[in-house]
């Protein structure tokens, strides 16, 4: 039991005048810890043996582990968009993998998970990977940024603008790039292939300067010995060191939580890790932590960050009434553009667990992800749930938890199901239906344990990354109950089921809102 376990702070004296978070009527704090490209099978409690993840496993032991927990998409931007807005990403045609200088994808004024929680009295923060666009057109990286997380519901932001393989390789705190020196030339960024900055070394022209070589893409500006996507120059005092990123972000995340300790308000923290996305460069103490090379090592580092946050909650006496969720934005990939041994050293490790496909894919390995919820005060520890739940559902579910659901405007969070009873382990019935999408925003329908994938043209295996796409010129129908590995296409055997699900998917894609329909 976490309440009486060795890490629990139950029984420790509370500071005078501090809020009593053990009072069961107080709204819980909420922390979403969100990994980047972590597969279902990469975590010990989901079956991994080659990578030690004692802290994520601890979370599962003390909480509820979902076996049918989904991201809305098999890539980052659309998944995160869906988590924050409660909307299926395919409703917004811009919700695709974005460069860092793309305009903010979420229009200020949209109801978001953090803005809803702000209304409910929460202090809200994002720390880590953003990748949802910034600004509203042209960005001056040296000035005060507009259209940032602060404009869509976050009170505090410490972010990496896009991904760790995309420029600009700088952190942004609230509205400013961190660590710019006025004596440096201004920071400039472009993704225009035809406009590289003259004189700034690229991976393509100066491979001898690289400490990690690229395998595909990633041949532009060199930062910290690693060439990236996009070009950047100036503002060099602000450029990050990848090996320090885990500690930099962890420090900001823990500082935010610590600062909330003595405030009479609940908090929401969206802590978005950069691991195990490429380039994989662990801090020195995790280099060599596994036999799987950098990919395994950064997962061990990620796990350590999770543990440090759990320990901080214990120390601060906040563990009991804090909901901690751990999940991932999409499924796994081995070679995602750098030569880091991920493929060669993988051995028997199965990053997607028993599933087919991975990142970018329509197959289940693309979107079924580790998904754990711990709330010692309310959720029984050490259980598993097969309820179908998706990150998209957090908005309506936490609106229900905080009394905000009746106040959501009808157009808000159109695809967010109120599945709070499932999230809290009170039932194993989650949503009935779920639409997920791949990197090209091609969709599929899941209904109970059935998956229908429409016919799509295109290669069966994605180039470079070597991941099955899920594309087939015929319809695909799988029953995940009996066939989690999607090995037996039942479409020919169940033509009526195929017809019904195809029609249903069409109806949803034509605009039917999920939130008040039968899907939930
Ligand atoms: C792809 C990148 C890949 C990764 C991905 C986004 C190339 C060749 N590949 O375009 O490395 O950055 O975008 O990943 O550039 S995600 O997890 O943020 O969706
Ligand atoms: Ca990702």
């Amino acid at each position: 039991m976490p309440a009486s376990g060795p890490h629990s702070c139950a029984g420790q004296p509370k500071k005078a005048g501090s809020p009593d978070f053990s009072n069961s009527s107080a709204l819980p704090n909420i922390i979403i810890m969100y990994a980047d490209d972590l597969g279902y099978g990469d975590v010990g409690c989901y079956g991994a043996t080659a990578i030690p993840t004692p802290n994520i496993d601890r979370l599962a032991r003390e909480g509820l582990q979902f076996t049918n927990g989904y991201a809305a998409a098999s890539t980052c931007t659309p998944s995160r968009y869906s988590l924050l807005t409660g909307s299926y990403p395919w409703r917004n045609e811009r919700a695709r993998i974005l460069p860092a200088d793309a305009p903010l994808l979420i229009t200020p004024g949209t109801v978001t998970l953090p803005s809803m929680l702000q209304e409910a009295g929460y202090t809200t923060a994002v720390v880590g990977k953003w990748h949802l666009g910034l600004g509203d057109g042209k960005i001056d990286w040296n000035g005060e940024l507009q259209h940032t997380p602060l404009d869509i519901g976050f009170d505090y932001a410490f972010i990496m603008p896009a991904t760790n393989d995309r420029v600009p390789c700088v952190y942004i705190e609230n509205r400013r790039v961190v660590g710019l020196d006025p004596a440096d030339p201004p920071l400039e960024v472009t993704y225009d292939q035809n406009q590289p900055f003259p004189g700034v070394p690229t991976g393509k022209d100066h491979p001898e300067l690289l400490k990690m070589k690229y395998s595909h893409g990633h041949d532009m500006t060199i930062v910290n010995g690693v060439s990236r996507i996009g070009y950047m120059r100036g503002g060099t005092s602000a450029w990050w060191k990848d090996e320090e990123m885990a500690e930099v972000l962890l420090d900001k995340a823990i500082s935010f939580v610590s600062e909330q300790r003595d405030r009479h308000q609940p908090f929401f923290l969206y802590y978005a890790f950069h691991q195990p996305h490429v380039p994989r460069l662990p801090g020195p103490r995790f280099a060599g932590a596994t036999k799987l090379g950098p990919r395994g090592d950064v997962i061990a580092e990620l796990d350590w960050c999770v543990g440090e946050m759990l320990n901080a909650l214990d120390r601060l006496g906040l563990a009991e009434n804090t909901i901690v969720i751990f999940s991932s934005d999409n499924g796994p990939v081995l070679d995602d553009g750098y030569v880091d041994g991920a493929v060669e050293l993988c051995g028997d490790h199965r990053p997607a667990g028993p599933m087919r496909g991975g990142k970018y894919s329509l197959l289940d390995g693309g979107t079924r992800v580790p998904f754990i919820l711990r709330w010692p005060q309310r959720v029984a520890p050490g259980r598993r749930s097969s309820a179908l739940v998706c990150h998209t559902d957090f908005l309506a579910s936490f609106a229900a938890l905080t009394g905000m659901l009746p106040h959501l405007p009808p157009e808000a969070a159109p695809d967010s199901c109120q599945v709070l009873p499932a999230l809290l382990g009170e039932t194993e019935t989650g949503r009935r239906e779920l639409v997920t999408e791949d990197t090209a925003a091609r969709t599929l329908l899941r209904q109970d344990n059935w998956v229908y994938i429409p016919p799509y043209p295109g290669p069966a295996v994605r180039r470079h990354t070597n991941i099955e796409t899920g594309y087939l010129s015929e319809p695909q129908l799988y029953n995940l109950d009996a066939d989690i590995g999607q090995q037996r296409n039942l479409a020919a055997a169940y033509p009526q089921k195929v017809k019904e699900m195809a029609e249903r998917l069409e109806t949803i894609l034509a605009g039917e809102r999920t939130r008040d329909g039968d899907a939930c």
Side-chain angles (χ1 to χ4, degrees), residues 35-37 74-76 80 129 277 329-331 359:
D36 192 359
D37 299 357
S74 57
T75 46
C76 166
R80 289 160 200 258
K129 176 171 177 171
H277 196 283
D329 67 340
N330 53 251
K359 182 175 180 176

Side-chain angles (χ1 to χ4, degrees), residues 37 76 129 131 163 165-166 218 229 277 336 359-360:
D37 299 357
C76 166
K129 176 171 177 171
H131 209 190
T163 58
D165 58 356
R166 279 174 176 72
H218 305 98
I229 306 172
H277 196 283
D336 207 14
K359 182 175 180 176
Y360 307 110

Side-chain angles (χ1 to χ4, degrees), residues 3 24 82 158 245 257 261 326 377 399 482 494 498:
S24 58
S82 193
F158 188 96
M245 190 175 284
V257 169
R261 173 64 183 82
F326 178 83
Q377 189 170 290
Y494 294 89
V498 168

Side-chain angles (χ1 to χ4, degrees), residues 177-488:
V177 170
V178 178
L180 283 178
D181 181 344
D184 276 345
L187 176 62
E188 293 173 86
V189 170
T190 181
Y191 282 82
D192 184 342
Q193 295 276 356
N194 303 316
Q195 303 284 332
F197 294 120
V200 181
T202 62
K204 190 165 173 222
D205 295 337
H206 290 281
E208 76 284 359
L209 298 178
L210 299 176
K211 64 179 168 197
M212 182 184 272
K213 305 233 181 296
Y214 57 91
S215 58
H216 55 278
H218 305 98
D219 61 356
M220 293 160 250
T221 298
I222 299 175
V223 176
N224 187 33
V226 181
S227 50
R228 317 277 166 158
I229 306 172
Y231 302 99
M232 155 167 104
R233 73 172 167 195
T236 44
S237 57
W239 295 16
W240 71 47
K241 288 224 170 22
D242 304 79
E243 295 84 349
E244 295 169 358
M245 190 175 284
E247 299 213 25
V248 168
L249 299 179
L250 177 66
D251 180 57
K252 295 295 169 187
I254 290 183
S255 298
F256 171 76
V257 169
S258 310
E259 282 158 21
Q260 306 315 305
R261 173 64 183 82
D262 294 323
R263 302 188 61 202
H264 293 265
Q265 267 178 300
F267 65 82
F268 167 60
L269 170 64
Y270 170 45
Y271 179 14
F273 302 100
H274 65 290
Q275 303 108 324
H277 196 283
V278 295
R280 303 169 181 131
L281 294 153
R285 79 164 105 164
F286 290 97
T290 69
K291 296 199 171 79
L292 272 56
R295 185 170 187 278
D297 297 351
V298 297
I299 295 175
E301 182 185 59
L302 159 74
D303 180 78
W304 172 78
C305 295
V306 170
E308 289 299 292
M309 177 54 81
L310 297 183
N311 292 340
L313 292 174
D314 287 340
R315 243 184 353 259
L316 295 162
L318 295 173
E320 275 294 301
N321 200 24
T322 297
I323 296 177
V324 175
I325 292 169
F326 178 83
S327 197
S328 173
D329 67 340
N330 53 251
V333 55
L334 294 177
D335 180 352
D336 207 14
Y338 293 94
V339 182
D340 64 5
V343 174
E344 298 76 6
L345 298 170
C346 196
D348 295 336
H349 177 66
R350 298 183 68 187
M355 268 84 70
R356 252 177 93 186
K359 182 175 180 176
Y360 307 110
S361 174
L362 274 174
L363 294 160
D364 232 39
T367 48
R368 197 195 297 220
V369 284
F371 194 128
I372 303 167
L373 184 148
R374 184 188 83 168
W375 183 10
Q377 189 170 290
R378 182 114 175 236
V379 174
R383 287 169 45 204
R384 283 189 168 218
S385 170
S386 61
L388 181 60
V389 290
C390 179
H391 304 146
T392 316
D393 301 331
F394 291 146
L395 207 161
S397 303
F398 292 140
L401 179 71
T402 54
M404 296 302 291
L405 195 56
H407 307 293
L408 287 187
E411 72 281 3
D415 306 302
S416 190
C417 288
Q418 199 289 74
V419 290
L420 189 62
L423 289 176
L424 301 185
E426 291 161 4
T427 167
E428 287 207 49
T429 306
R431 40 158 79 218
R432 249 211 84 213
E433 254 177 23
L434 176 66
V435 176
T436 59
E437 66 179 59
D438 79 345
T439 185
R442 288 175 168 184
T443 50
L444 64 83
L445 177 64
R446 171 151 177 184
Q447 265 181 353
D448 299 320
N449 274 307
W450 292 93
V451 169
Y452 163 70
I453 306 178
Y456 289 116
V461 176
R462 194 177 162 85
R463 260 179 78 212
H464 301 301
T465 55
N466 202 25
I467 291 171
E468 286 191 278
T469 57
Y471 300 161
L472 196 68
S473 53
E474 294 153 29
Q476 295 173 75
L477 182 74
Y478 299 101
N479 185 329
L480 296 179
D481 232 0
D483 178 24
I484 194 171
Q486 295 180 302
Q487 296 297 320
R488 292 187 294 282

